[in-house]
Amino acid sequence: MRYEHLLKKYKEKHDARTRTPTINDKFPNIAGASTQDTNSFDLYEYLGDSWGIIFMHPGDYTPVCTTELGAAAKLEPEFAKRGVKLCGFSVNDATSHVGWIKDIRVATGETVTFPLICDPHRDYAVSLGILDFSNRDYVGMPMTVRSAYILKPDKTIAAMITYPACLGRNFDEILRAVDGLQRGKAGVACPANWRPGDRCIVDFPLTDAQADEKFGQGGFDVVELPSESEKKNLKKHYLRYTKDPYSGEVDDNAAGSSGLFFCC
């Protein structure tokens, strides 16, 4: 088999309990890689002090991924407002990327201008532990897991979202996730179905006294709950709402710069 050595190498890593990066892990750098435009790409250098999001796809010229990269290109201005950079990754080479980008333009009306990293021999996919042995291509090689990794400026993983090959990503949700994560510095969490401008939840570790200091007297509302009704002198109510600290607007200084990295 053409990729037998790679399969063996991946299985050896798998047997050694090498695992896919997860929340709070530092995402490894991808240095010296090729993209559709250069043969010396460095992920960390490209992202700089930004955040980042990494998307895994099975490869070029796949139907669902074609629509996804078109959607990403369309939303690039929205990500730019939040300081977000876009980047992609694929197990194909630069020539394939260039042709695929032309197809994406015709299929979606959008032009992909952000870099797409090349990994035709799956060296990076192997080292990252992102190959799925239950999902093979036409030559029998495992394909990449379709996960999205949201990175903090220190390159640690803040959140992960994984999709099957048959389901396209919801880019509105990815944008919402970035908005919510970038509000973390303000001492709030985001409830179910939260959207920018909606009320946020006071960060759980804060006592009520600390919340008063942070948000001001009367700056949050306590939800009266049966489990707390009999407790006297409670220092912390666990469900407290406060206004969106960004009032529905993107705060560039608070949010910092972010980056999106698609693995295709």
Side-chain angles (χ1 to χ4, degrees):
M1 181 187 293
R2 181 183 177 188
Y3 295 110
E4 185 175 354
H5 69 292
L6 290 177
L7 280 169
K8 181 179 179 181
K9 181 166 61 173
Y10 182 79
K11 287 178 179 177
E12 288 173 350
K13 281 180 170 288
H14 186 270
D15 290 343
R17 299 193 178 185
T18 296
R19 61 183 176 84
T20 302
T22 190
I23 290 175
N24 292 326
D25 287 346
K26 187 169 184 178
F27 195 88
N29 190 20
I30 296 179
S34 297
T35 70
Q36 76 272 29
D37 297 318
T38 180
N39 59 4
S40 59
F41 182 80
D42 186 293
L43 177 63
Y44 281 12
E45 183 178 317
Y46 173 71
L47 293 179
D49 294 327
S50 72
W51 288 53
I53 304 180
I54 304 170
F55 295 87
M56 313 297 180
H57 296 293
D60 293 1
Y61 302 106
T62 50
V64 174
C65 299
T66 296
T67 65
E68 289 181 335
L69 288 181
K74 182 176 182 178
L75 281 176
E76 192 167 10
E78 285 301 315
F79 286 114
K81 290 178 184 178
R82 294 152 174 82
V84 175
K85 296 178 181 178
L86 304 181
C87 181
F89 175 99
S90 176
V91 295
N92 301 93
D93 60 21
T95 300
S96 177
H97 284 359
V98 170
W100 191 27
I101 288 171
K102 292 178 181 178
D103 280 4
I104 293 168
R105 184 184 305 119
V106 172
T108 69
E110 303 296 335
T111 301
V112 174
T113 59
F114 46 84
L116 299 178
I117 295 173
C118 306
D119 190 24
H121 300 298
R122 291 173 169 77
D123 291 329
Y124 296 116
V126 167
S127 65
L128 291 170
I130 59 173
L131 295 180
D132 178 9
F133 276 89
S134 68
N135 191 16
R136 307 274 186 128
D137 65 12
Y138 68 96
V139 298
M141 277 298 295
M143 303 172 82
T144 53
V145 177
R146 297 183 66 255
S147 293
Y149 296 88
I150 302 178
L151 308 184
K152 298 177 184 177
D154 63 0
K155 309 304 183 290
T156 58
I157 298 169
M160 299 166 56
I161 309 172
T162 301
Y163 293 79
C166 64
L167 180 63
R169 287 177 249 265
N170 185 327
F171 279 80
D172 289 335
E173 168 60 14
I174 292 170
L175 195 65
R176 187 190 80 97
V178 170
D179 284 334
L181 288 167
Q182 290 184 340
R183 281 161 170 75
K185 290 182 179 180
V188 297
C190 300
N193 301 321
W194 173 88
R195 303 292 300 179
D198 292 349
R199 293 197 305 167
C200 297
I201 293 174
V202 174
D203 200 11
F204 184 70
L206 295 178
T207 66
D208 288 354
Q210 291 171 330
D212 281 335
E213 292 180 6
K214 189 167 189 66
F215 303 108
Q217 291 287 337
F220 63 92
D221 298 321
V222 174
V223 178
E224 301 294 339
L225 299 169
S227 63
E228 297 177 340
S229 62
E230 301 297 326
K231 298 177 181 178
K232 297 181 179 180
N233 301 318
L234 193 63
K235 293 184 177 181
K236 179 176 70 176
H237 294 82
Y238 81 81
L239 185 54
R240 301 158 294 179
Y241 284 96
T242 188
K243 68 178 182 180
D244 182 349
Y246 297 164
S247 298
E249 300 293 333
V250 175
D251 186 327
D252 292 332
N253 293 324
S257 180
S258 301
L260 284 175
F261 170 30
F262 301 80
C263 294
C264 305

mmCIF file of all heavy atoms in Angstrom, residues 3 19 27 36-37 44 61 97 99 116 121 131 133 152 173 177 197-198 205 219 241 248 253 263:
data_model
loop_
_atom_site.group_PDB
_atom_site.id
_atom_site.type_symbol
_atom_site.label_atom_id
_atom_site.label_comp_id
_atom_site.label_asym_id
_atom_site.label_seq_id
_atom_site.Cartn_x
_atom_site.Cartn_y
_atom_site.Cartn_z
ATOM 1 N N TYR A 3 0.616 4.162 1.329
ATOM 2 C CA TYR A 3 0.774 4.865 2.597
ATOM 3 C C TYR A 3 0.964 3.909 3.772
ATOM 4 O O TYR A 3 0.706 4.252 4.911
ATOM 5 C CB TYR A 3 -0.447 5.749 2.865
ATOM 6 C CG TYR A 3 -0.594 6.878 1.869
ATOM 7 C CD1 TYR A 3 -1.622 6.863 0.929
ATOM 8 C CD2 TYR A 3 0.289 7.941 1.867
ATOM 9 C CE1 TYR A 3 -1.760 7.896 0.017
ATOM 10 C CE2 TYR A 3 0.159 8.984 0.955
ATOM 11 C CZ TYR A 3 -0.868 8.949 0.032
ATOM 12 O OH TYR A 3 -1.002 9.970 -0.865
ATOM 13 N N ARG A 19 -2.703 11.154 21.747
ATOM 14 C CA ARG A 19 -4.098 11.517 21.611
ATOM 15 C C ARG A 19 -4.244 12.837 20.883
ATOM 16 O O ARG A 19 -3.314 13.638 20.816
ATOM 17 C CB ARG A 19 -4.761 11.623 22.985
ATOM 18 C CG ARG A 19 -4.157 12.676 23.891
ATOM 19 C CD ARG A 19 -4.818 12.652 25.258
ATOM 20 N NE ARG A 19 -4.192 13.584 26.179
ATOM 21 C CZ ARG A 19 -4.476 14.869 26.257
ATOM 22 N NH1 ARG A 19 -5.362 15.385 25.436
ATOM 23 N NH2 ARG A 19 -3.877 15.640 27.136
ATOM 24 N N PHE A 27 -1.947 23.704 21.295
ATOM 25 C CA PHE A 27 -1.991 23.138 19.953
ATOM 26 C C PHE A 27 -0.610 23.243 19.323
ATOM 27 O O PHE A 27 -0.004 24.311 19.320
ATOM 28 C CB PHE A 27 -3.023 23.857 19.095
ATOM 29 C CG PHE A 27 -3.371 23.104 17.846
ATOM 30 C CD1 PHE A 27 -4.387 22.171 17.860
ATOM 31 C CD2 PHE A 27 -2.666 23.309 16.678
ATOM 32 C CE1 PHE A 27 -4.703 21.450 16.720
ATOM 33 C CE2 PHE A 27 -2.970 22.596 15.533
ATOM 34 C CZ PHE A 27 -3.990 21.660 15.550
ATOM 35 N N GLN A 36 -1.223 27.100 -0.559
ATOM 36 C CA GLN A 36 -1.423 27.362 -1.982
ATOM 37 C C GLN A 36 -0.549 28.504 -2.472
ATOM 38 O O GLN A 36 -0.391 28.696 -3.678
ATOM 39 C CB GLN A 36 -2.897 27.653 -2.273
ATOM 40 C CG GLN A 36 -3.402 29.039 -1.865
ATOM 41 C CD GLN A 36 -3.888 29.087 -0.430
ATOM 42 O OE1 GLN A 36 -3.419 28.339 0.413
ATOM 43 N NE2 GLN A 36 -4.840 29.962 -0.165
ATOM 44 N N ASP A 37 0.065 29.265 -1.540
ATOM 45 C CA ASP A 37 0.840 30.450 -1.920
ATOM 46 C C ASP A 37 2.319 30.391 -1.540
ATOM 47 O O ASP A 37 3.116 31.158 -2.074
ATOM 48 C CB ASP A 37 0.237 31.704 -1.268
ATOM 49 C CG ASP A 37 -1.178 31.979 -1.743
ATOM 50 O OD1 ASP A 37 -1.425 31.845 -2.953
ATOM 51 O OD2 ASP A 37 -2.031 32.311 -0.905
ATOM 52 N N TYR A 44 2.241 29.442 13.996
ATOM 53 C CA TYR A 44 2.388 30.359 15.123
ATOM 54 C C TYR A 44 2.749 31.760 14.649
ATOM 55 O O TYR A 44 2.242 32.759 15.172
ATOM 56 C CB TYR A 44 3.462 29.852 16.087
ATOM 57 C CG TYR A 44 3.026 28.749 17.018
ATOM 58 C CD1 TYR A 44 1.825 28.066 16.844
ATOM 59 C CD2 TYR A 44 3.832 28.367 18.092
ATOM 60 C CE1 TYR A 44 1.432 27.055 17.695
ATOM 61 C CE2 TYR A 44 3.446 27.357 18.962
ATOM 62 C CZ TYR A 44 2.248 26.698 18.752
ATOM 63 O OH TYR A 44 1.875 25.697 19.611
ATOM 64 N N TYR A 61 -11.968 18.957 -2.731
ATOM 65 C CA TYR A 61 -12.994 18.481 -3.662
ATOM 66 C C TYR A 61 -14.009 17.567 -2.985
ATOM 67 O O TYR A 61 -14.520 16.622 -3.603
ATOM 68 C CB TYR A 61 -12.356 17.768 -4.858
ATOM 69 C CG TYR A 61 -11.384 18.626 -5.634
ATOM 70 C CD1 TYR A 61 -10.014 18.412 -5.528
ATOM 71 C CD2 TYR A 61 -11.836 19.653 -6.454
ATOM 72 C CE1 TYR A 61 -9.113 19.200 -6.225
ATOM 73 C CE2 TYR A 61 -10.939 20.459 -7.150
ATOM 74 C CZ TYR A 61 -9.580 20.223 -7.029
ATOM 75 O OH TYR A 61 -8.686 21.011 -7.716
ATOM 76 N N HIS A 97 -5.126 22.454 -3.963
ATOM 77 C CA HIS A 97 -5.761 23.579 -3.270
ATOM 78 C C HIS A 97 -6.170 24.669 -4.255
ATOM 79 O O HIS A 97 -7.274 25.213 -4.183
ATOM 80 C CB HIS A 97 -4.790 24.180 -2.247
ATOM 81 C CG HIS A 97 -4.640 23.374 -1.001
ATOM 82 N ND1 HIS A 97 -5.316 22.208 -0.762
ATOM 83 C CD2 HIS A 97 -3.864 23.590 0.094
ATOM 84 C CE1 HIS A 97 -4.977 21.726 0.421
ATOM 85 N NE2 HIS A 97 -4.092 22.548 0.961
ATOM 86 N N GLY A 99 -6.811 24.497 -7.456
ATOM 87 C CA GLY A 99 -7.963 24.083 -8.251
ATOM 88 C C GLY A 99 -9.244 24.075 -7.451
ATOM 89 O O GLY A 99 -10.308 24.469 -7.954
ATOM 90 N N LEU A 116 -4.306 27.823 2.970
ATOM 91 C CA LEU A 116 -4.707 26.438 3.194
ATOM 92 C C LEU A 116 -3.433 25.591 3.288
ATOM 93 O O LEU A 116 -2.715 25.433 2.294
ATOM 94 C CB LEU A 116 -5.584 25.917 2.055
ATOM 95 C CG LEU A 116 -6.912 26.641 1.792
ATOM 96 C CD1 LEU A 116 -7.616 26.004 0.594
ATOM 97 C CD2 LEU A 116 -7.796 26.607 3.025
ATOM 98 N N HIS A 121 1.149 13.946 2.488
ATOM 99 C CA HIS A 121 1.638 12.664 3.022
ATOM 100 C C HIS A 121 1.138 12.402 4.439
ATOM 101 O O HIS A 121 1.563 11.448 5.081
ATOM 102 C CB HIS A 121 3.166 12.635 2.984
ATOM 103 C CG HIS A 121 3.728 12.789 1.607
ATOM 104 N ND1 HIS A 121 3.476 11.884 0.601
ATOM 105 C CD2 HIS A 121 4.502 13.766 1.067
ATOM 106 C CE1 HIS A 121 4.093 12.287 -0.503
ATOM 107 N NE2 HIS A 121 4.701 13.427 -0.250
ATOM 108 N N LEU A 131 -6.273 11.408 12.563
ATOM 109 C CA LEU A 131 -6.782 10.509 11.531
ATOM 110 C C LEU A 131 -7.854 9.590 12.106
ATOM 111 O O LEU A 131 -7.736 9.098 13.222
ATOM 112 C CB LEU A 131 -5.639 9.677 10.943
ATOM 113 C CG LEU A 131 -4.574 10.464 10.174
ATOM 114 C CD1 LEU A 131 -3.502 9.519 9.653
ATOM 115 C CD2 LEU A 131 -5.188 11.247 9.027
ATOM 116 N N PHE A 133 -9.635 6.106 11.579
ATOM 117 C CA PHE A 133 -9.524 4.829 10.886
ATOM 118 C C PHE A 133 -10.871 4.270 10.438
ATOM 119 O O PHE A 133 -10.927 3.358 9.617
ATOM 120 C CB PHE A 133 -8.803 3.809 11.781
ATOM 121 C CG PHE A 133 -7.305 3.907 11.711
ATOM 122 C CD1 PHE A 133 -6.623 4.752 12.575
ATOM 123 C CD2 PHE A 133 -6.592 3.187 10.771
ATOM 124 C CE1 PHE A 133 -5.245 4.856 12.502
ATOM 125 C CE2 PHE A 133 -5.215 3.288 10.697
ATOM 126 C CZ PHE A 133 -4.530 4.121 11.564
ATOM 127 N N LYS A 152 -6.784 29.932 22.176
ATOM 128 C CA LYS A 152 -6.528 31.195 22.855
ATOM 129 C C LYS A 152 -5.237 31.810 22.301
ATOM 130 O O LYS A 152 -4.486 31.141 21.589
ATOM 131 C CB LYS A 152 -6.383 30.954 24.350
ATOM 132 C CG LYS A 152 -7.621 30.386 25.022
ATOM 133 C CD LYS A 152 -7.336 30.115 26.493
ATOM 134 C CE LYS A 152 -8.523 29.460 27.179
ATOM 135 N NZ LYS A 152 -8.221 29.141 28.595
ATOM 136 N N GLU A 173 -22.795 29.509 14.598
ATOM 137 C CA GLU A 173 -22.475 28.987 15.925
ATOM 138 C C GLU A 173 -20.994 29.172 16.246
ATOM 139 O O GLU A 173 -20.624 29.500 17.377
ATOM 140 C CB GLU A 173 -22.849 27.507 16.014
ATOM 141 C CG GLU A 173 -22.302 26.766 17.230
ATOM 142 C CD GLU A 173 -22.763 27.353 18.559
ATOM 143 O OE1 GLU A 173 -23.710 28.165 18.586
ATOM 144 O OE2 GLU A 173 -22.149 26.989 19.580
ATOM 145 N N ALA A 177 -19.573 31.228 19.287
ATOM 146 C CA ALA A 177 -18.625 30.677 20.250
ATOM 147 C C ALA A 177 -17.448 31.625 20.463
ATOM 148 O O ALA A 177 -16.997 31.834 21.595
ATOM 149 C CB ALA A 177 -18.132 29.315 19.776
ATOM 150 N N GLY A 197 -25.432 40.534 23.143
ATOM 151 C CA GLY A 197 -26.469 41.463 23.581
ATOM 152 C C GLY A 197 -27.393 40.865 24.614
ATOM 153 O O GLY A 197 -28.034 41.599 25.372
ATOM 154 N N ASP A 198 -27.483 39.527 24.658
ATOM 155 C CA ASP A 198 -28.292 38.855 25.684
ATOM 156 C C ASP A 198 -27.589 38.931 27.037
ATOM 157 O O ASP A 198 -26.377 39.143 27.120
ATOM 158 C CB ASP A 198 -28.499 37.379 25.332
ATOM 159 C CG ASP A 198 -29.379 37.177 24.117
ATOM 160 O OD1 ASP A 198 -30.003 38.153 23.661
ATOM 161 O OD2 ASP A 198 -29.413 36.032 23.616
ATOM 162 N N PRO A 205 -17.142 31.030 39.891
ATOM 163 C CA PRO A 205 -16.248 31.134 41.052
ATOM 164 C C PRO A 205 -16.436 32.390 41.894
ATOM 165 O O PRO A 205 -16.043 32.420 43.072
ATOM 166 C CB PRO A 205 -14.847 31.110 40.426
ATOM 167 C CG PRO A 205 -15.036 30.415 39.124
ATOM 168 C CD PRO A 205 -16.384 30.863 38.640
ATOM 169 N N GLY A 219 -25.703 45.202 40.100
ATOM 170 C CA GLY A 219 -25.250 44.920 38.743
ATOM 171 C C GLY A 219 -25.573 43.532 38.250
ATOM 172 O O GLY A 219 -25.245 43.193 37.106
ATOM 173 N N TYR A 241 -27.570 36.561 36.830
ATOM 174 C CA TYR A 241 -27.496 37.149 35.494
ATOM 175 C C TYR A 241 -27.034 38.603 35.561
ATOM 176 O O TYR A 241 -27.372 39.345 36.481
ATOM 177 C CB TYR A 241 -28.860 37.098 34.806
ATOM 178 C CG TYR A 241 -29.232 35.719 34.295
ATOM 179 C CD1 TYR A 241 -30.023 34.871 35.053
ATOM 180 C CD2 TYR A 241 -28.799 35.283 33.044
ATOM 181 C CE1 TYR A 241 -30.374 33.610 34.590
ATOM 182 C CE2 TYR A 241 -29.143 34.024 32.564
ATOM 183 C CZ TYR A 241 -29.929 33.190 33.345
ATOM 184 O OH TYR A 241 -30.263 31.942 32.883
ATOM 185 N N GLY A 248 -23.448 43.801 23.195
ATOM 186 C CA GLY A 248 -23.726 43.371 21.836
ATOM 187 C C GLY A 248 -22.738 43.854 20.814
ATOM 188 O O GLY A 248 -22.850 43.555 19.629
ATOM 189 N N ASN A 253 -10.381 45.667 21.981
ATOM 190 C CA ASN A 253 -9.345 45.673 22.995
ATOM 191 C C ASN A 253 -9.510 44.516 23.972
ATOM 192 O O ASN A 253 -8.556 43.900 24.408
ATOM 193 C CB ASN A 253 -9.362 47.000 23.763
ATOM 194 C CG ASN A 253 -8.954 48.161 22.900
ATOM 195 O OD1 ASN A 253 -8.095 48.020 22.048
ATOM 196 N ND2 ASN A 253 -9.566 49.322 23.103
ATOM 197 N N CYS A 263 -8.858 22.630 8.956
ATOM 198 C CA CYS A 263 -8.179 21.418 8.498
ATOM 199 C C CYS A 263 -9.090 20.720 7.500
ATOM 200 O O CYS A 263 -10.120 20.204 7.893
ATOM 201 C CB CYS A 263 -7.833 20.491 9.646
ATOM 202 S SG CYS A 263 -6.604 21.201 10.746
#
